[in-house]
């Protein structure tokens, strides 16, 4: 059974898996361009998903299972996968810790006006007159209460913040003081001093944050997006930032990535741009490979207890 | 009973206190230069401490009590205070929250390489190749386990860090996984991925961190000082940073403040300088004034239950 990987999951992991599962032959490349003939033979495909186009699937005649080693799968060709009845699994759940660390980093950097302090240092300026507002007692509204949202809420509680979550049903979740169902989104947004978007991109979440939603927020609100760029109407966000409808934003994801050179976001004083890195971490493979390993055993043994099997109709 | 304040504690607070305590007359100025004749009359002096020299105390012939509205009192003329038997109280305990927020901000900014991301943005660079090491699982060694140290440890636990504390006796303290007595300082230092100095300046802590202590630390250690600059041998620190004995530092306090223009610290790539702001916060007076108010009641009623009465011999 041939496995093709278009990413480096570690030589040690490959060796271990080949030893553990006799029937398995591993072909691991840095990217899909180098895969050559193995495209046609591979039954299992391990990928970050960016390379997984309908054309590629077309060429992978024997493909039965895609293990996506990321969480966001919105770029995958779902129609093709459905036609071929290809199994799709991902690694949802492993991003909670690094992304929550990133979110608290940008919130606290905003709190201490870190970039201004950095510029002062570059100019050897000792100036103590600053308006510091503690995050203590502030409210954080988190869209999505899955692994990522919950981990952010957990950390926010250690800063004595009030945590508000938004999820489909409005059901209670640990570490959240209050939960609103999606139909009360604007009400939840109106309370947040910080608003964090952790949403995946689905039919339901596409441009869920538009002009009306930014208008619902406090004018002192700081918006953070580590979910998917397309959950936001980026034009409406830019307008809200330019017209001070909200105070500022830290954005790690965008409608189009890399963020185009001509995007006004790059140079806006109240916007912090990072290149979709919030989920990256030295611990990534340590958490992702065990999920693949479990699923590989399940696949070989013909069982059904996959971790993170994606419903191709719901697309999550 | 005349009270002179060389800082603004808020007009509303002055009014309230004058109403509450009939015998009290308040004279509040922005700084001591404006106090004029009231220097001679004042029985109670409310100050941040920076202006409180032996000369000043000399002029304040009727002075009986100094309420210092900061925690650091090392600059006060203790000999003069002892001769005159002047009561000294401070506001120890109110800095835990803002300083812990600052400490987590600089730790997390280091974690996401925030200044590099900021420079990338300024140059419109979308570059995702970075080495992110989560703080998850890292060890934080905190010197001092008082209000500030404990609050830092509490927040660090929400990031699943291992928390090591150092205090005089080695007695256990909440939120610390392990405590070392001061005599085992170097052992505690050797374990920290992050080392935080929260120490006040006393006879015992002066230059407690020198060449030997920096050598004890991991070469990957990141040092944070929010205590007092003079608890560190600054020359030894600079050498340790220049020679990569430790990885980097975030410094909010210095041997001499403002940090002199010719200090090499200003321009070191692995050093983040902030102008003694870690304790500043919008909540400062909300927490400091109630302490003064309690002490004023105690003073007027001739009782002894002062909050934060300083032992003039121990200097804390």
């Amino acid at each position: 059974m041939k496995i093709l990987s278009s990413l480096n999951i570690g030589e040690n992991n490959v060796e271990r898996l080949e030893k553990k599962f006799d029937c398995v032959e591993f072909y691991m490349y840095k990217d899909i361009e180098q895969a050559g003939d193995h495209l046609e033979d591979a039954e299992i495909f391990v990928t970050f998903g960016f390379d997984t186009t309908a054309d590629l699937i077309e060429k992978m005649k024997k493909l039965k299972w895609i293990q996506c080693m990321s969480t966001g799968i919105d770029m995958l060709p779902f129609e093709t996968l459905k036609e071929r009845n290809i199994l799709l699994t991902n690694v949802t759940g492993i991003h909670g810790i690094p992304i929550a660390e990133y979110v608290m980093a940008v919130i606290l950097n905003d709190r201490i006006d870190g970039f201004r302090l950095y510029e002062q240092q570059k100019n050897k300026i000792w100036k103590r007159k600053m308006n510091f507002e503690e995050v203590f007692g502030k409210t954080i509204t988190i869209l999505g209460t899955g692994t990522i949202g919950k981990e952010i809420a957990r950390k926010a509680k250690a800063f004595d913040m009030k945590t508000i979550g938004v999820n489909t049903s409005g059901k209670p979740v640990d570490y959240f003081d209050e939960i609103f169902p999606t139909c009360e989104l604007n009400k939840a947004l109106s309370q947040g001093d910080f608003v964090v978007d952790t949403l995946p991109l689905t039919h339901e979440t596409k441009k869920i944050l538009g002009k009306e939603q930014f208008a619902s927020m406090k004018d002192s609100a700081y918006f953070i997006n580590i979910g998917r760029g397309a959950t936001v109407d980026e034009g409406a966000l830019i307008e809200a930032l330019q017209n001070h409808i909200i105070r500022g934003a830290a954005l790690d994801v965008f409608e189009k990535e890399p963020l185009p050179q001509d995007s006004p976001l790059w140079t806006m004083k109240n916007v912090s741009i990072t290149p979709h890195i919030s989920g990256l971490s030295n611990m990534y493979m340590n958490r992702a490979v065990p999920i693949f390993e479990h699923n590989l055993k399940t696949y070989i043994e013909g069982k059904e207890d996959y971790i993170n099997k994606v419903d191709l109709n719901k697309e999550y």
Side-chain angles (χ1 to χ4, degrees), chain A:
Chain A
M1 170 182 312
K2 287 193 179 175
I3 303 177
L4 174 64
S5 177
S6 62
L7 63 106
N8 185 356
I9 67 163
E11 288 290 352
N12 55 335
N13 285 318
V14 168
E15 273 174 40
R16 191 169 44 76
L17 292 174
E18 282 187 332
K19 206 171 279 177
K20 185 166 173 183
F21 304 108
D22 271 346
C23 58
V24 151
E25 272 172 72
F26 233 106
Y27 298 93
M28 185 168 76
Y29 299 98
K30 271 190 178 170
D31 59 62
I32 195 67
E33 304 303 325
Q34 298 169 19
D37 292 346
H38 295 300
L39 274 185
E40 287 198 6
D41 300 345
E43 182 174 335
I44 301 168
F45 182 35
V46 179
T47 172
F48 278 132
F50 300 107
D51 51 17
T52 313
T53 59
D55 277 359
L56 186 83
I57 303 295
E58 189 79 23
K59 286 177 197 151
M60 301 183 81
K61 303 248 185 279
K62 295 190 179 163
L63 183 66
K64 288 192 181 154
W65 169 31
I66 299 174
Q67 171 67 55
C68 185
M69 296 296 261
S70 66
T71 294
I73 46 173
D74 45 90
M75 75 292 266
L76 293 184
F78 279 93
E79 288 311 314
T80 312
L81 300 183
K82 274 191 269 186
E83 277 165 30
R84 294 262 307 267
N85 196 26
I86 288 170
L87 171 66
L88 174 64
T89 54
N90 69 359
V91 293
T92 294
I94 72 166
H95 296 79
I97 288 164
I99 292 185
E101 290 187 359
Y102 169 93
V103 168
M104 292 314 296
V106 297
I107 286 176
L108 291 169
N109 185 61
D110 174 66
R111 141 78 173 86
I112 69 166
D113 213 346
F115 297 137
R116 185 172 141 194
L117 288 168
Y118 171 74
E119 292 289 354
Q120 283 191 187
Q121 177 180 354
K122 286 209 283 190
N123 296 297
K124 296 192 180 184
I125 291 170
W126 182 278
K127 191 180 158 198
R128 305 180 70 231
K129 269 231 172 317
M130 302 182 80
N131 284 322
F132 291 119
E133 284 208 22
E134 293 180 6
V135 298
F136 174 93
K138 290 276 194 292
T139 296
I140 183 168
T141 297
I142 302 171
L143 312 186
T145 60
T147 326
I148 297 171
K150 210 162 86 176
E151 188 61 32
I152 296 167
R154 176 181 161 238
K155 288 172 169 35
K157 287 315 294 175
F159 289 83
D160 305 290
M161 299 177 85
K162 180 178 176 188
T163 52
I164 292 179
V166 178
N167 62 28
T168 319
S169 63
K171 69 172 189 300
V173 178
D174 283 353
Y175 304 115
F176 285 94
D177 295 319
E178 213 174 329
I179 296 275
F180 288 88
T182 312
C183 60
E184 293 185 50
L185 173 62
N186 292 2
K187 202 170 153 188
L189 293 173
S190 71
Q191 297 188 37
D193 297 298
F194 296 91
V195 174
V196 186
D197 178 351
T198 79
L199 298 170
L201 181 60
T202 66
H203 298 308
E204 283 73 33
T205 63
K206 194 167 181 184
K207 297 204 182 186
I208 194 171
L209 296 181
K211 188 170 178 172
E212 189 190 318
Q213 283 66 43
F214 291 110
S216 303
M217 296 183 198
K218 293 184 181 186
D219 57 8
S220 59
Y222 193 78
F223 175 65
I224 298 157
N225 194 358
I226 49 79
R228 276 290 183 253
T231 60
V232 173
D233 177 340
E234 206 164 274
L237 170 61
I238 291 170
E239 254 189 60
L241 287 161
Q242 283 171 336
N243 300 330
H244 306 287
I245 306 299
I246 63 173
R247 182 170 60 84
L251 306 172
D252 191 49
V253 291
F254 305 89
E255 263 181 17
K256 203 176 158 192
E257 294 177 14
L259 183 64
Q261 288 290 308
D262 61 358
S263 168
L265 289 168
W266 280 114
T267 52
M268 289 169 74
K269 284 248 181 303
N270 53 348
V271 176
S272 177
I273 301 289
T274 57
H276 202 148
I277 47 80
S278 67
L280 301 185
S281 138
N282 56 326
M283 304 290 278
Y284 196 97
M285 283 301 158
N286 298 354
R287 298 191 186 117
V289 171
I291 292 177
F292 170 53
E293 185 166 344
H294 169 96
N295 286 346
L296 184 57
K297 187 163 182 283
T298 298
Y299 182 86
I300 289 169
E301 294 176 354
K303 292 184 178 167
E304 266 304 322
D305 62 328
Y306 289 103
I307 298 174
N308 296 325
K309 181 174 170 179
V310 176
D311 181 327
L312 297 180
N313 290 308
K314 288 188 182 163
E315 303 191 3
Y316 65 85

